[in-house]
Amino acid sequence: MEVSTVYTTQALNSTCSISTPAKTHLGSHQKQVVFYRRTTKSGSGGGSCVITCSAGDSQTVVIGLAADSGCGKSTFMRRLTSVFGGAAEPPKGGNPDSNTLISDMTTVICLDDYHSLDRTGRKEKGVTALDPRANDFDLMYEQVKALKSGVAVDKPIYNHVTGLLDPPELIKPPKILVIEGLHPMFDDRVRDLLDFSIYLDISNEVKFAWKIQRDMAERGHSLESIKASIEARKPDFDAYIDPQKQYADAVIEVLPTQLIPDDNEGKVLRVRLIMKEGVEHFSPVYLFDEGSTISWIPCGRKLTCSYPGIKFSYGPDTYFGNEVSILEMDGQFDRLDELIYVESHLSNISTKFYGEVTQQMLKHADFPGSNNGTGLFQTIVGLKIRDLYEQLTSSKTAAPLEATKA
Ligand SMILES: Nc1ncnc2c1ncn2[C@@H]1O[C@H](COP(=O)(O)OP(=O)(O)OP(=O)(O)O)[C@@H](O)[C@H]1O
Ligand SMILES: O=C(CO)[C@H](O)[C@H](O)COP(=O)(O)O
C-alpha cells in the first residue's frame, strides 16, 4: 500500500511563509525549503509548496552511515554518540517503535523511515526494501535538506514490529544529524548534503556468521531461513547498497582473518579502515610514519597476545580510483587495557587527551567487536567525526571575522 499522509516541514524559532513553488529572491538569512506531499493511491494530494524561513544561525552537520541490515550500524552509533557524551534515547513520549535516537548533540535517524512501501506493499509489488522503488528519495532529500538548514520536519516512521508506516514524528534540527541505513549515499542530492560519510563493508562470510549468531540466538530463526533471507537480498544488495562504498569518506571493511589458514569460524577478524585522502576537515590516521608502508606485530612484552596473535598494517593505496590510506588490524586483543600501547603508536587520532581511545573502548567493553579492529576503528572514526564537527562549526563562526579583516 502507498501512503497518503501529508508531511509538513516546520520551522524552529523561525518565521515562515508558505507559497506555491516559484523563483523567490531570498535574503541572506532566509532559507527556502520545498516540501512534498506524498501522492495518494488515487493520485490526489500530491504536489509541492515552498516554505521560506528566517532560520537561526546554527547549522546542522550531517553524517551518513551506510550498511546492510545486521552489519553493526546500531553498535557504531552507540560508540559515536558516546564520544559526544550523553546517552542517545528515542524521542520522549513518542511512538515506542520510533527508530530515532536523540542525545544532547546528535540525532540519529534511520532511513528505513523513508520506505514508501510497507511490508505488504513490498510483497504485492515483489520488491525488497533495498530496491529504490520501495523508498521515497524525494522526501528523504527534502527533509535532510530542511534539517541541515535548521528547519524541523515531520518525518515518517517505518514500524519494524508491524511492518506498517506509522504517523510521523517531529524531528528538530540537531547539532549533528546522522542518517543511517541502506541508502544514505544512493541519491546524489542526499549524498551532496553529507559533510562526512561512512560505509560498513562486512564480507559475506562475516555477515553470515553475525546474522546466524543474532537471528538464531535472539530471534529464533532457523539456519535455512537465515541463508534464504541473505540469498534473497543479495542481488539488490549488489545492485543498490554495495556500490555506495565508492562515495564514502571512510570505509570499515571486515574480512575473515588471514592469521588462521582457511578459517571459517568468522570469530577472528581482519578489519581495514580505508580513509579517503583530501577530504576537507578529515586527515587520515597513520601508524608510525605518515605515507610509509608499515607492517607491525605488537605482541610481546607490552601486549599480551594469544593464538593467532595480532598484526597491524598501514600504507597508501587506491580505492575506486581515489587515493586512500589504509590501516589494518588482524586478530584480537586479550587485554583491552593494554590497547594504550597500540594507541600510543597511532597518530592523527583526534583525541583530546592521551589514552582517550582506550578509555572509550574500555567504557564499552561489552559492545560487539570491542576486542578487535571493528570496535577500535569505529571508536577512531567517532573521534574523527567529533574533530570534523568542531572544525566545521569553528570555521563557520570564524568566517565573519575573516571577512571583517579583509
Ligand atoms: N563488531 C562486531 N563483532 C561481532 N559481532 C557484531 C559486531 N557488530 C555487530 N555484530 C553482530 O551483529 C548484530 C547486529 O548488530 P547491529 O544491531 O549493530 O547492526 P545493525 O546494522 O544496526 O542491524 P539492523 O539494521 O538489522 O538493526 C549484533 O547483534 C551482533 O551479533
Ligand atoms: O533492511 C532492512 C533494514 O535495514 C529491513 O529489511 C527493511 O527495513 C524491511 O524491514 P522489515 O524486516 O520490517 O520488513
Side-chain angles (χ1 to χ4, degrees):
M1 276 180 292
E2 286 189 38
V3 194
S4 60
T5 316
V6 174
Y7 297 106
T8 57
T9 302
Q10 301 190 7
L12 184 76
N13 299 327
S14 316
T15 15
C16 296
S17 58
I18 300 181
S19 61
T20 47
K23 269 199 170 166
T24 317
H25 184 75
L26 294 175
S28 59
H29 291 294
Q30 288 184 311
K31 313 235 184 278
Q32 196 179 63
V33 179
V34 182
F35 78 91
Y36 290 82
R37 293 188 183 103
R38 277 185 175 164
T39 313
T40 59
K41 219 171 183 183
S42 62
S44 64
S48 61
C49 68
V50 173
I51 303 183
T52 304
C53 302
S54 304
D57 287 338
S58 63
Q59 278 230 332
T60 296
V61 171
V62 186
I63 309 293
L65 172 67
D68 197 3
S69 156
C71 285
K73 295 185 298 290
S74 314
T75 312
F76 180 80
M77 285 336 314
R78 288 195 289 162
R79 289 190 197 278
L80 175 69
T81 46
S82 162
V83 163
F84 286 97
E89 286 169 2
K92 284 198 177 64
N95 185 331
D97 294 327
S98 166
N99 302 306
T100 303
L101 287 173
I102 299 176
S103 70
D104 287 352
M105 296 283 290
T106 60
T107 292
V108 181
I109 61 173
C110 173
L111 296 180
D112 293 349
D113 288 334
Y114 293 99
H115 288 337
S116 51
L117 296 173
D118 62 14
R119 202 175 286 156
T120 315
R122 290 195 299 271
K123 210 166 174 191
E124 279 170 5
K125 289 217 161 74
V127 293
T128 71
L130 297 86
D131 191 314
R133 288 172 296 173
N135 294 281
D136 187 342
F137 288 102
D138 288 341
L139 188 67
M140 188 191 295
Y141 165 60
E142 291 306 334
Q143 296 207 330
V144 175
K145 186 168 83 164
L147 287 166
K148 191 172 169 119
S149 331
V151 178
V153 301
D154 274 332
K155 181 189 61 54
I157 298 175
Y158 175 71
N159 188 320
H160 281 98
V161 180
T162 61
L164 297 170
L165 288 144
D166 284 351
E169 63 186 355
L170 177 69
I171 303 291
K172 293 176 182 169
K175 293 197 166 69
I176 300 162
L177 173 71
V178 184
I179 56 169
E180 62 95 354
L182 298 169
H183 302 101
M185 285 101 91
F186 180 83
D187 183 291
D188 56 0
R189 297 166 304 169
V190 179
R191 196 162 70 228
D192 287 347
L193 293 171
L194 301 177
D195 293 295
F196 194 75
S197 54
I198 307 126
Y199 185 90
L200 301 182
D201 187 9
I202 315 298
S203 67
N204 287 333
E205 300 93 320
V206 177
K207 200 191 279 188
F208 190 55
W210 287 1
K211 231 177 158 46
I212 287 173
Q213 182 194 317
R214 182 182 70 170
D215 292 357
M216 279 181 85
E218 296 171 23
R219 301 187 178 175
H221 296 180
S222 70
L223 186 61
E224 283 316 306
S225 73
I226 298 169
K227 271 188 194 164
S229 122
I230 290 180
E231 282 311 308
R233 289 170 74 96
K234 188 140 190 339
D236 283 352
F237 174 80
D238 291 343
Y240 309 119
I241 313 303
D242 195 57
Q244 293 175 93
K245 63 191 182 194
Q246 66 190 291
Y247 305 116
D249 298 315
V251 175
I252 299 181
E253 195 175 84
V254 185
L255 303 151
T257 182
Q258 287 183 334
L259 300 174
I260 306 172
D262 301 321
D263 174 67
N264 55 13
E265 266 196 83
K267 283 204 177 120
V268 182
L269 301 174
R270 177 164 79 103
V271 188
R272 285 154 48 94
L273 174 57
I274 302 165
M275 299 161 281
K276 215 178 244 177
E277 297 286 346
V279 175
E280 210 180 351
H281 306 301
F282 172 69
S283 53
V285 175
Y286 64 88
L287 179 64
F288 293 115
D289 184 36
E290 192 170 16
S292 296
T293 298
I294 313 268
S295 179
W296 183 43
I297 296 176
C299 306
R301 290 189 193 165
K302 294 180 183 151
L303 197 77
T304 315
C305 298
S306 55
Y307 179 81
I310 298 177
K311 183 177 172 190
F312 277 88
S313 319
Y314 161 77
D317 212 327
T318 53
Y319 186 76
F320 290 98
N322 295 309
E323 273 186 43
V324 294
S325 285
I326 303 184
L327 177 65
E328 176 178 315
M329 175 184 163
D330 196 348
Q332 54 193 35
F333 300 111
D334 278 4
R335 293 191 42 180
L336 214 44
D337 53 332
E338 290 176 351
L339 175 61
I340 189 77
Y341 177 62
V342 172
E343 180 177 350
S344 63
H345 289 81
L346 293 170
S347 299
N348 257 354
I349 44 179
S350 302
T351 46
K352 289 203 189 283
F353 55 87
Y354 178 71
E356 190 177 12
V357 171
T358 307
Q359 189 199 62
Q360 279 293 329
M361 291 283 282
L362 284 167
K363 195 164 146 193
H364 302 301
D366 57 330
F367 286 8
S370 289
N371 65 345
N372 63 36
T374 57
L376 176 62
F377 295 160
Q378 287 177 2
T379 302
I380 290 175
V381 172
L383 294 169
K384 298 302 295 181
I385 290 173
R386 182 181 67 187
D387 187 46
L388 177 116
Y389 167 77
E390 287 174 359
Q391 289 186 54
L392 272 169
T393 46
S394 69
S395 62
K396 259 176 209 139
T397 47
L401 270 179
E402 280 169 17
T404 319
K405 262 192 252 159

